[in-house]
Amino acid sequence: MSNNFEVIERVGISYESSSDAIKSVVNEANNEKKIGWFEVIEERGRVTGDGKVEFQVKVRLGRKLD
Amino acid sequence: MSNNFEVIERVGISYESSSDAIKSVVNEANNEKKIGWFEVIEERGRVTGDGKVEFQVKVRLGRKLD
Amino acid sequence: MSNNFEVIERVGISYESSSDAIKSVVNEANNEKKIGWFEVIEERGRVTGDGKVEFQVKVRLGRKLD
Amino acid sequence: MSNNFEVIERVGISYESSSDAIKSVVNEANNEKKIGWFEVIEERGRVTGDGKVEFQVKVRLGRKLD
Amino acid sequence: MSNNFEVIERVGISYESSSDAIKSVVNEANNEKKIGWFEVIEERGRVTGDGKVEFQVKVRLGRKLD
Amino acid sequence: MSNNFEVIERVGISYESSSDAIKSVVNEANNEKKIGWFEVIEERGRVTGDGKVEFQVKVRLGRKLD
Amino acid sequence: MSNNFEVIERVGISYESSSDAIKSVVNEANNEKKIGWFEVIEERGRVTGDGKVEFQVKVRLGRKLD
Amino acid sequence: MSNNFEVIERVGISYESSSDAIKSVVNEANNEKKIGWFEVIEERGRVTGDGKVEFQVKVRLGRKLD
Amino acid sequence: MSNNFEVIERVGISYESSSDAIKSVVNEANNEKKIGWFEVIEERGRVTGDGKVEFQVKVRLGRKLD
Amino acid sequence: MSNNFEVIERVGISYESSSDAIKSVVNEANNEKKIGWFEVIEERGRVTGDGKVEFQVKVRLGRKLD
Amino acid sequence: MSNNFEVIERVGISYESSSDAIKSVVNEANNEKKIGWFEVIEERGRVTGDGKVEFQVKVRLGRKLD
Amino acid sequence: MSNNFEVIERVGISYESSSDAIKSVVNEANNEKKIGWFEVIEERGRVTGDGKVEFQVKVRLGRKLD
């Protein structure tokens, strides 16, 4: 078993807030395999066809190697 | 007609949250002319005279050239 | 009396949102001594033992030197 | 008359190459008003519906103030 | 099914141009699984034993999570 | 009327000093429309034909949207 | 077979030194699949419960695509 | 006694020049306790109510730990 | 009692290695007050009068607010 | 003989493409003394008097010390 | 004769101002060989033994290759 | 004689540690001409054919102009 960690990069989507986008992507990744920590890398977005602001938040997620 | 885009820079203000500041400035710009995408550049703020936290969020906004 | 400012660095914690973490650390510092402005430097976090997303937001806080 | 310059930001599009995207946006802007210099800021893109690589190159363009 | 995206990082190789290196790595990744967008991160290279300039372009590629 | 701000980018020129270049471009912009704040982004320059050092200072200027 | 490379991100742990943390994570990854190069991205750490300094070094590792 | 140093962050104010703002904040800090070195981090400012350009220069100041 | 953290900045000195400089400054700070985490910010140095390489490593140290 | 490398910085010029500018400056340097690797640092340019886009690409070039 | 440029890096010293330090190092380099442009990279300094602020400004200088 | 400094860039190689790579390149340069200070810019490496981790550390070295 390793003492080291791997880091993966994902983008969370929300029409509510950037914190919502972060919760969405962190919780989803944590359900696959336990997350040790996350780092917010970038925040972008767009306006959807029906006029909603879409938050796109890029995060790095760290988790223990098996 | 051009295939290219222009990018403008604005700062949104909110006393609620940074996502609120982003929505304010993105919606306002989108009402002037349709926004293709936005990027969050910087987040700062101050405490107002009556003790509220003011969120100041700088965003770049991309839109089609005419 | 000085015309200059000092800048200190703190990390706010919240289980709700990053804006909540900012409000927490800015209000706490402002109660010690009046804050002139703040800058958000970094946003990280972790998943707690009972599955909540913890937001950790690093801010620089500027205030008048005495 | 001013001695100073203004800087605007645009994104050029090409399906050939990033240099093509730069030429497109620089020439277009130069036709509106003479460009003094440009700086490449960011290079991104996507794959179109019919499988072509689209180059999106963000440039800053400097030109004399009137 | 998720609303979120994953981001992977690759380096494309070409002896023609950096845009060629980008096309090579974007097309190859798009054949494995549809790419939503890409970002150019770094451009390096070397001179090969027989004197050709080798372009090595690092890109991040975003694609929908299943 | 908006609560938000716009940010424009300019380059000031001086043969005296970088602070002189900043004053030149900030004052000129403030005469067009009141400036809320400025940020120094980059400092470059050249030697003129008759041997003077030309300071070129890039600043971002923030001002209230109407 | 591809000419291109993939880049993965890992964090090595050591109680001796940052170079030890790098060797640990590079050797471990190289045993899984031959590594072409690595880049050190970030160096952080903590003090353990029994007072040892733990080095956490984030590296990007490049390797040939199959 | 320690061999190590501490680093503090301050913002100097001047209506003359950025170098003046640096001298102000470095001299003031040096009078409290001897400064080993300083680093200029950021330069911003505003136009005062009576039309003067205010230079705000952020510096890091290093000094010996006792 | 606060849930938040403060961050201080120090420079560690060693004539052996950069990891030694980090251990020196982290241990010294941890003896004053328990450190939660540290981040390496910058690594510089000089050659001493008698020809030894001096490592100067700047770290940020996070610790719980009282 | 040394095991170490030196790094020099050059700017390549082309009226065709940025990759052309890179090839020009890498080949020229490689003819003087064998180049181990290169890194692209910055891409700028201007429009010439007769309306051509000039690509100016700054590269760092690494080569073995004698 | 080459169309390309080389870039060298120097640090100018002044006890008056950072612009003075820039003029000193740019003029000195221009006397050796004509300078095409310069870029300010970093501004640091120290307090001298007799209490003067010493400005140390790092610049990159570009000049035509022979 | 000049009061100014020049800065050169080198990469040190070691199979032991990054600090070893720094010592190697700093000592070698100091033997050619006295070094005033150094700054660590980048740390990369590779795994050699016989499985050793090679540390490649890029440093900038400052020294007095003659």
Side-chain angles (χ1 to χ4, degrees):
Chain A
M1 215 201 82
S2 171
N3 286 317
N4 298 327
F5 291 79
E6 68 177 340
V7 183
I8 59 170
E9 196 165 310
R10 298 224 173 140
V11 176
I13 304 291
S14 165
Y15 302 97
E16 295 306 320
S17 69
S18 60
S19 295
D20 225 65
I22 293 168
K23 281 179 187 165
S24 159
V25 79
V26 169
N27 283 329
E28 188 179 74
N30 196 52
N31 287 341
E32 294 167 30
K33 189 176 167 185
K34 199 177 156 13
I35 287 302
W37 80 94
F38 67 88
E39 313 156 33
V40 179
I41 299 304
E42 195 189 63
E43 193 171 336
R44 302 170 55 93
R46 63 180 183 109
V47 182
T48 62
D50 55 336
K52 281 187 295 191
V53 175
E54 179 184 298
F55 293 90
Q56 307 163 343
V57 186
K58 198 190 281 174
V59 295
R60 290 211 184 99
L61 302 140
R63 59 190 187 194
K64 206 83 170 55
L65 280 167
D66 297 315
Chain B
M1 215 199 83
S2 172
N3 287 316
N4 299 327
F5 291 80
E6 68 177 339
V7 183
I8 59 169
E9 196 165 310
R10 297 228 173 138
V11 176
I13 303 291
S14 166
Y15 303 98
E16 295 306 319
S17 69
S18 58
S19 294
D20 226 63
I22 293 167
K23 281 179 187 164
S24 159
V25 79
V26 170
N27 283 329
E28 188 179 75
N30 196 53
N31 287 342
E32 295 166 31
K33 189 176 166 186
K34 198 175 157 15
I35 288 302
W37 79 94
F38 67 88
E39 313 156 32
V40 179
I41 298 304
E42 196 189 61
E43 194 172 337
R44 303 170 55 93
R46 62 178 184 112
V47 183
T48 62
D50 56 335
K52 280 187 296 191
V53 175
E54 179 183 297
F55 293 90
Q56 306 162 343
V57 186
K58 198 189 281 173
V59 295
R60 289 209 185 100
L61 302 140
R63 59 189 187 196
K64 206 82 170 55
L65 280 167
D66 297 315
Chain C
M1 215 200 82
S2 172
N3 286 316
N4 298 327
F5 290 79
E6 69 177 339
V7 183
I8 60 170
E9 196 165 310
R10 297 225 173 141
V11 177
I13 303 291
S14 165
Y15 303 98
E16 295 307 319
S17 69
S18 58
S19 295
D20 225 65
I22 292 167
K23 282 180 187 163
S24 159
V25 79
V26 169
N27 283 328
E28 188 179 74
N30 196 53
N31 287 341
E32 294 167 30
K33 189 174 166 186
K34 197 172 158 18
I35 288 301
W37 80 93
F38 67 88
E39 311 156 33
V40 179
I41 299 304
E42 195 190 63
E43 193 171 338
R44 303 169 55 93
R46 63 178 184 110
V47 183
T48 62
D50 57 336
K52 281 187 295 193
V53 174
E54 180 184 297
F55 292 91
Q56 307 162 344
V57 185
K58 199 189 281 173
V59 295
R60 289 210 184 99
L61 302 141
R63 58 190 187 195
K64 207 81 172 53
L65 279 167
D66 298 315
Chain D
M1 215 201 82
S2 172
N3 287 316
N4 299 326
F5 291 79
E6 68 177 339
V7 183
I8 60 169
E9 196 165 310
R10 297 226 173 140
V11 177
I13 304 290
S14 166
Y15 303 98
E16 294 307 319
S17 69
S18 58
S19 295
D20 225 64
I22 294 167
K23 281 179 188 166
S24 159
V25 78
V26 169
N27 282 328
E28 187 179 74
N30 196 53
N31 287 342
E32 294 167 30
K33 190 176 166 184
K34 195 173 161 17
I35 288 301
W37 80 93
F38 67 88
E39 313 158 32
V40 179
I41 299 304
E42 196 189 61
E43 193 171 340
R44 304 169 55 92
R46 62 178 185 111
V47 183
T48 63
D50 56 334
K52 280 187 294 192
V53 175
E54 179 184 299
F55 292 91
Q56 307 162 343
V57 185
K58 198 189 281 174
V59 294
R60 289 209 185 100
L61 302 141
R63 59 189 187 196
K64 207 81 172 52
L65 280 166
D66 297 316
Chain E
M1 215 202 83
S2 171
N3 286 316
N4 299 326
F5 290 79
E6 67 177 341
V7 183
I8 59 169
E9 196 165 309
R10 298 227 173 138
V11 176
I13 303 290
S14 165
Y15 302 98
E16 295 307 320
S17 69
S18 59
S19 294
D20 225 65
I22 293 168
K23 281 179 186 165
S24 158
V25 79
V26 169
N27 283 328
E28 187 179 75
N30 196 52
N31 287 341
E32 295 167 30
K33 190 175 167 184
K34 197 175 159 13
I35 288 301
W37 80 93
F38 67 88
E39 312 155 34
V40 178
I41 299 305
E42 196 189 62
E43 193 171 339
R44 303 169 55 92
R46 63 178 183 110
V47 182
T48 62
D50 56 334
K52 281 187 295 192
V53 175
E54 180 184 297
F55 293 90
Q56 307 162 343
V57 186
K58 198 189 280 173
V59 294
R60 292 210 183 99
L61 301 142
R63 59 190 187 196
K64 208 81 171 51
L65 279 167
D66 298 314
Chain F
M1 214 202 83
S2 172
N3 287 315
N4 298 327
F5 291 79
E6 68 177 340
V7 183
I8 59 170
E9 196 165 310
R10 298 226 173 139
V11 176
I13 304 290
S14 165
Y15 303 97
E16 295 306 319
S17 67
S18 59
S19 295
D20 225 63
I22 293 168
K23 281 179 187 165
S24 159
V25 79
V26 169
N27 283 329
E28 186 179 74
N30 196 52
N31 287 342
E32 294 167 31
K33 190 175 165 185
K34 198 176 158 15
I35 288 302
W37 80 93
F38 67 88
E39 313 156 32
V40 179
I41 298 304
E42 196 189 62
E43 193 171 338
R44 303 168 56 92
R46 63 178 184 111
V47 183
T48 62
D50 56 335
K52 281 188 294 191
V53 175
E54 179 183 298
F55 293 90
Q56 307 162 342
V57 186
K58 199 191 280 174
V59 295
R60 290 210 184 100
L61 302 141
R63 60 190 186 195
K64 207 80 170 54
L65 281 166
D66 298 315
Chain G
M1 217 202 80
S2 172
N3 286 318
N4 298 328
F5 290 79
E6 67 178 341
V7 182
I8 60 170
E9 195 165 311
R10 298 224 173 141
V11 177
I13 304 290
S14 165
Y15 303 98
E16 295 307 319
S17 70
S18 58
S19 295
D20 225 63
I22 293 167
K23 281 179 187 166
S24 159
V25 79
V26 169
N27 283 328
E28 188 179 73
N30 196 52
N31 288 341
E32 294 166 30
K33 189 175 166 184
K34 197 174 158 14
I35 287 301
W37 79 93
F38 67 88
E39 311 156 33
V40 178
I41 299 304
E42 195 189 64
E43 192 171 339
R44 303 169 54 94
R46 62 178 185 111
V47 182
T48 62
D50 56 334
K52 280 187 296 194
V53 175
E54 180 183 298
F55 293 91
Q56 307 162 342
V57 186
K58 199 190 280 173
V59 295
R60 289 211 183 98
L61 301 141
R63 59 190 187 195
K64 208 82 171 52
L65 281 166
D66 297 316
Chain H
M1 215 201 82
S2 172
N3 286 317
N4 299 327
F5 291 79
E6 68 178 339
V7 183
I8 59 169
E9 196 165 310
R10 299 226 172 140
V11 176
I13 304 290
S14 165
Y15 303 97
E16 295 306 320
S17 69
S18 59
S19 295
D20 225 63
I22 293 168
K23 280 180 187 165
S24 160
V25 79
V26 169
N27 283 329
E28 187 179 75
N30 196 52
N31 287 342
E32 295 167 29
K33 190 175 166 184
K34 197 174 158 17
I35 288 302
W37 79 94
F38 67 88
E39 312 156 34
V40 179
I41 298 304
E42 196 189 62
E43 193 171 338
R44 302 169 56 92
R46 62 177 184 111
V47 182
T48 62
D50 56 334
K52 281 186 295 192
V53 175
E54 179 184 298
F55 293 90
Q56 307 162 343
V57 185
K58 198 189 281 172
V59 294
R60 291 210 184 99
L61 301 141
R63 58 190 187 197
K64 206 84 170 53
L65 280 167
D66 298 315
Chain I
M1 215 201 83
S2 172
N3 286 317
N4 298 327
F5 290 79
E6 67 177 341
V7 182
I8 59 169
E9 196 165 311
R10 298 226 174 140
V11 176
I13 304 291
S14 165
Y15 302 98
E16 295 305 320
S17 69
S18 59
S19 295
D20 225 64
I22 293 168
K23 282 179 186 166
S24 158
V25 79
V26 170
N27 283 329
E28 188 179 74
N30 197 52
N31 287 341
E32 294 167 30
K33 190 176 167 185
K34 197 176 157 15
I35 287 302
W37 80 93
F38 67 88
E39 313 157 32
V40 179
I41 298 304
E42 196 190 62
E43 193 171 338
R44 302 170 55 93
R46 62 177 184 110
V47 182
T48 62
D50 56 335
K52 281 187 295 191
V53 175
E54 180 184 296
F55 293 90
Q56 306 163 343
V57 186
K58 199 190 281 174
V59 294
R60 290 210 185 99
L61 302 141
R63 58 191 187 194
K64 206 83 170 53
L65 279 168
D66 298 315
Chain J
M1 215 201 83
S2 172
N3 286 317
N4 299 326
F5 291 79
E6 68 177 340
V7 183
I8 60 169
E9 197 165 309
R10 298 226 173 140
V11 177
I13 304 290
S14 165
Y15 302 97
E16 295 306 320
S17 68
S18 58
S19 295
D20 226 64
I22 294 167
K23 281 180 187 165
S24 159
V25 79
V26 169
N27 283 329
E28 187 179 75
N30 196 52
N31 287 343
E32 294 167 32
K33 189 176 166 185
K34 196 175 160 15
I35 288 301
W37 79 94
F38 66 88
E39 312 157 32
V40 178
I41 298 305
E42 195 189 62
E43 193 172 338
R44 302 169 56 92
R46 62 178 184 111
V47 182
T48 62
D50 56 335
K52 280 187 296 190
V53 175
E54 179 184 297
F55 293 90
Q56 307 162 342
V57 186
K58 199 190 280 174
V59 295
R60 290 210 185 99
L61 302 141
R63 58 190 188 195
K64 208 81 171 52
L65 281 167
D66 298 315
Chain K
M1 214 200 85
S2 172
N3 286 316
N4 299 327
F5 291 79
E6 68 178 339
V7 183
I8 59 169
E9 197 166 309
R10 298 227 173 140
V11 177
I13 304 290
S14 165
Y15 303 97
E16 295 307 319
S17 69
S18 58
S19 295
D20 225 64
I22 293 167
K23 281 179 188 165
S24 159
V25 78
V26 169
N27 283 329
E28 187 179 74
N30 196 52
N31 287 342
E32 295 167 30
K33 190 177 166 184
K34 198 177 157 14
I35 288 301
W37 80 93
F38 66 89
E39 313 157 32
V40 178
I41 299 305
E42 197 190 60
E43 192 171 338
R44 303 169 55 93
R46 63 178 184 111
V47 182
T48 62
D50 57 334
K52 280 188 295 191
V53 175
E54 178 183 299
F55 292 90
Q56 307 162 343
V57 185
K58 199 190 280 174
V59 295
R60 289 210 185 99
L61 303 141
R63 58 189 186 196
K64 207 82 171 52
L65 280 167
D66 297 316
Chain L
M1 215 200 84
S2 172
N3 287 316
N4 298 326
F5 291 79
E6 68 177 340
V7 183
I8 58 170
E9 196 166 310
R10 297 226 173 140
V11 176
I13 304 290
S14 165
Y15 303 97
E16 296 305 320
S17 69
S18 59
S19 295
D20 225 64
I22 293 167
K23 281 179 187 164
S24 158
V25 79
V26 170
N27 283 328
E28 188 179 75
N30 196 52
N31 287 342
E32 294 166 31
K33 191 176 165 184
K34 196 173 159 16
I35 288 301
W37 78 93
F38 67 88
E39 313 157 32
V40 179
I41 298 304
E42 195 189 62
E43 193 171 338
R44 302 169 56 94
R46 62 178 184 113
V47 183
T48 62
D50 56 335
K52 280 187 295 191
V53 175
E54 179 183 297
F55 293 90
Q56 306 161 343
V57 186
K58 198 190 281 174
V59 294
R60 290 211 185 98
L61 302 140
R63 58 189 187 196
K64 206 82 171 53
L65 281 167
D66 297 315

